[in-house]
Structure formats: structure tokens, C-alpha cells
Amino acid sequence: MDIEDLRKFIIVARHENLHIASKQLAVTSGALSKIIKRLESKLQTQLFDRVGRGILLNVQGRKFLGYASQLVHETDQAISEFKGDSQRSTITIAGPSLLLQHYLPALADQLSAPHFQFKVNACWEGQALEDTIKGNCDLGIVTPLAARDSEDSASLRSIPLGSSSYVVAASGNHPLFNSNTTSQIDCKTLHNFAFACPHVSPFCGVKRGIGSDGWRDDSVPRQIKYRCNDFGTMMAIVEHGLALAYVPDFIATKHKLSVVDVMDYPHHYEESFELVYKPSFAFGWLNRFVDSLTTATTS
């Protein structure tokens, strides 16, 4: 079975559209149609249902897609093992924008070979997980909770990247500092100040609680004045001193914000993050990278 036929089948299956796939692959729709027919003939199985002038991946096609993705994955890693540094590889990394911004520079340092090219896809962690499972990306940055919630994640391996505690953050020009010589306040005082909150979780894209930021509003209500569907805009509001925010500690550090110690807040919220990938038997760039990253994180 021709590996290049499998690569093209995967693209057609991803789009379920010969015209779109032909544009991406720079081949004709007719050529792709012949490849699909050749695969179906070899398997003696129909992979797509023809619906009018369109095509839909059927049950057998979805099953074969998993096999094809694994075969292409292993082939690429085997080639990488034998060709070594002479093999030019494009590495696709997916995950939430905040996590990519935080972790990608260090990961890129571990993948610093000159022949590597990077394709970075900012998306919700569920999409990053699904793309890694399906072979649409090589590496995904997610929370362990997302991996546990996925029935198909058993095919993946993971490497812990770290964790982050959430903190109440404020800019130096926030009104809170006009009346306080320290950054310590109690919950009652906290309620006097406005908060900016994300519309959905910046990691999974889902509404989580009243503020989608992990704060226990059921226990300690806040005055939420700004609800933002863009995290960058929310942080601009905080940086201008218009509001407080409950954010991961690395976000507070990145934006040079002060951490407000809410002395009597009874809860602690923390998120862990991990790198997920599809394992390979071959000692190609992926396993070499995993070894170097594991050594770096344990040393």
C-alpha cells in the first residue's frame, strides 16, 4: 500500500471534499478520486459514501483512517530515525494560545535542529487533543482533565510540563493601592473592587462557573464588571487599572502585575499542564525529543 496514497486519503478524509483537498495538495480532484478508488479496490471496502456530488467518510472509512494515520506516523518516524539530521520535518504543535505563548519557546529550544519547521495552531485544548489523536498535529498542550475526559486519549502519551496557581492580579496604578500600603486585603474589601473575567475558560473554551476563571463565586461573590471574550483585551483592562483579575501566576508575571493576597479566601485553584503525543516504535525526531524533554524536566 503506497504511503503517499495514504497521506492523500487522510487529507480527503479530513475535509470530506475532493475539491478542497485537491487545492491543499496541489493535485486534481480526478487524481484524488483515482487514489480513493485504488484504496477501496485494494481493501475491497467502500471508504466513502457518495451523497449527491459529495462524499462522506463512512464507518469503515473512519476505522481505516485510524490505521492510515498510524502507518503514516510510523513511516515518518522511521525515515527520521535513519535519515537523522538530514530529514527535513514540519512539526505541528497545537493548544490554547496562553499555553503556547508560555511553553512554546522552551519546547522550541529542545527542537532546535536547523531542519525543523514549525506549524503552530492555537485552539481549545479539546481540539488540540483530538488533532493529536487523529494525527493532524504532532504535539498538543492540554490539561490532564481534558485528557481524562477523552475516551480516545488512551492512544497518547504525556509529559508533565508544570502547573500554575491562580492569583488575584492588579496593576500598580489600581485604586486598591491608593488606600492600602500593602497588597493584603480581606474578602469584604475585595468586593469593593471590579473584576474582569473571561467569557469562557481560556483553556477549554467552556463556561465554568460565574466567571469562567476558577474563582469560587458561590463562596465569595465578586463584583464582576467586565466579561471579555478575548483574553488579551481582558488583560489590557487589568493593566490600565480598571479591574482585578483571577489568572494563572505566569500570566501575572508576564504582564508585570502585582499579586493581591486575599487573606481570608478559603480556596486554592491550580491547573496542571502536559504535552501529549502519539508514541512511535521508531527512534525518530519524536522519541529523541521526548528523551531530551524528559531529561530536562527531571534534572
Side-chain angles (χ1 to χ4, degrees), residues 1-13 35 39 43 47 64-65 67-72 75:
M1 191 169 292
D2 191 293
I3 199 70
E4 295 307 317
D5 282 359
L6 295 182
R7 291 186 199 277
K8 292 181 175 62
F9 162 74
I10 290 169
I11 300 300
V12 174
I35 288 171
L39 286 173
L43 296 170
L47 302 174
F64 182 68
L65 177 60
Y67 296 148
S69 298
Q70 190 63 41
L71 286 169
V72 169
T75 299

Side-chain angles (χ1 to χ4, degrees), residues 107-227:
L107 295 176
D109 283 344
Q110 294 290 329
L111 290 163
S112 58
H115 58 283
F116 284 147
Q117 294 180 337
F118 295 92
K119 182 178 179 182
V120 182
N121 291 340
C123 59
W124 301 125
E125 60 180 350
Q127 186 64 55
L129 196 65
E130 181 181 346
D131 284 347
T132 308
I133 293 168
K134 291 183 176 180
N136 297 337
C137 73
D138 302 295
L139 304 168
I141 303 178
V142 302
T143 63
L145 180 62
R148 287 197 298 269
D149 286 345
S150 171
E151 296 179 357
D152 300 320
S153 63
S155 63
L156 303 181
R157 299 291 181 271
S158 64
I159 302 173
L161 292 177
S163 62
S164 176
S165 295
Y166 274 59
V167 297
V168 176
S171 68
N173 61 345
H174 189 276
L176 180 151
F177 298 109
N178 295 337
S179 55
N180 290 274
T181 56
T182 71
S183 57
Q184 289 185 326
I185 60 174
D186 55 27
C187 291
K188 183 177 179 180
T189 305
L190 183 73
H191 196 268
N192 295 327
F193 300 103
F195 266 81
C197 296
H199 180 62
V200 295
S201 163
F203 302 136
C204 66
V206 175
K207 289 184 178 181
R208 296 162 67 179
I210 294 174
S212 292
D213 57 2
W215 183 271
R216 290 290 302 277
D217 288 279
D218 59 331
S219 174
V220 181
R222 294 172 292 173
Q223 180 195 155
I224 300 175
K225 187 173 182 179
Y226 302 94
R227 294 184 184 273

Side-chain angles (χ1 to χ4, degrees), residues 8-290:
K8 292 181 175 62
F9 162 74
I10 290 169
I11 300 300
V12 174
R14 186 180 302 165
H15 295 293
E16 294 184 308
N17 187 298
L18 288 171
H19 181 66
I20 294 174
S22 68
K23 282 189 173 182
Q24 180 176 333
L25 294 166
V27 298
T28 65
S29 298
L32 290 181
S33 182
K34 289 179 181 179
I35 288 171
I36 299 304
K37 289 178 181 178
R38 184 159 62 237
L39 286 173
E40 290 179 330
S41 175
K42 184 161 291 189
L43 296 170
Q44 296 186 357
T45 302
Q46 188 171 320
L47 302 174
F48 293 89
D49 291 332
R50 278 65 178 177
V51 181
R53 299 179 66 180
I55 57 172
L56 290 175
L57 197 65
N58 59 28
V59 173
Q60 292 294 86
R62 287 193 291 273
K63 185 176 183 179
F64 182 68
L65 177 60
Y67 296 148
S69 298
Q70 190 63 41
L71 286 169
V72 169
H73 175 66
E74 289 292 352
T75 299
D76 287 343
Q77 292 304 311
I79 293 171
S80 174
E81 175 180 347
F82 288 98
K83 283 193 172 183
D85 289 343
S86 65
Q87 171 68 14
R88 191 171 188 86
S89 301
T90 298
I91 299 171
T92 303
I93 303 178
S97 179
L98 294 186
L99 297 184
L100 289 171
Q101 292 173 39
H102 184 59
Y103 286 111
L104 186 56
L107 295 176
D109 283 344
Q110 294 290 329
L111 290 163
S112 58
H115 58 283
F116 284 147
Q117 294 180 337
F118 295 92
K119 182 178 179 182
V120 182
N121 291 340
C123 59
W124 301 125
E125 60 180 350
Q127 186 64 55
L129 196 65
E130 181 181 346
D131 284 347
T132 308
I133 293 168
K134 291 183 176 180
N136 297 337
C137 73
D138 302 295
L139 304 168
I141 303 178
V142 302
T143 63
L145 180 62
R148 287 197 298 269
D149 286 345
S150 171
E151 296 179 357
D152 300 320
S153 63
S155 63
L156 303 181
R157 299 291 181 271
S158 64
I159 302 173
L161 292 177
S163 62
S164 176
S165 295
Y166 274 59
V167 297
V168 176
S171 68
N173 61 345
H174 189 276
L176 180 151
F177 298 109
N178 295 337
S179 55
N180 290 274
T181 56
T182 71
S183 57
Q184 289 185 326
I185 60 174
D186 55 27
C187 291
K188 183 177 179 180
T189 305
L190 183 73
H191 196 268
N192 295 327
F193 300 103
F195 266 81
C197 296
H199 180 62
V200 295
S201 163
F203 302 136
C204 66
V206 175
K207 289 184 178 181
R208 296 162 67 179
I210 294 174
S212 292
D213 57 2
W215 183 271
R216 290 290 302 277
D217 288 279
D218 59 331
S219 174
V220 181
R222 294 172 292 173
Q223 180 195 155
I224 300 175
K225 187 173 182 179
Y226 302 94
R227 294 184 184 273
C228 307
N229 66 356
D230 174 74
F231 200 86
T233 301
M234 187 188 88
M235 294 312 300
I237 290 169
V238 176
E239 288 175 333
H240 278 77
L242 298 174
L244 304 172
Y246 192 53
V247 294
D249 50 16
F250 66 81
I251 295 295
T253 300
K254 176 185 176 183
H255 290 269
K256 299 179 180 178
L257 300 172
S258 298
V259 174
V260 179
D261 179 14
V262 186
M263 297 176 291
D264 54 345
Y265 182 64
H267 308 289
H268 176 75
Y269 186 57
E270 185 174 280
E271 292 265 24
S272 297
F273 311 109
E274 59 187 24
L275 190 73
V276 293
Y277 64 95
K278 186 176 289 187
S280 169
F281 292 112
F283 196 69
W285 72 260
L286 178 60
N287 280 338
R288 293 195 295 270
F289 163 68
V290 168

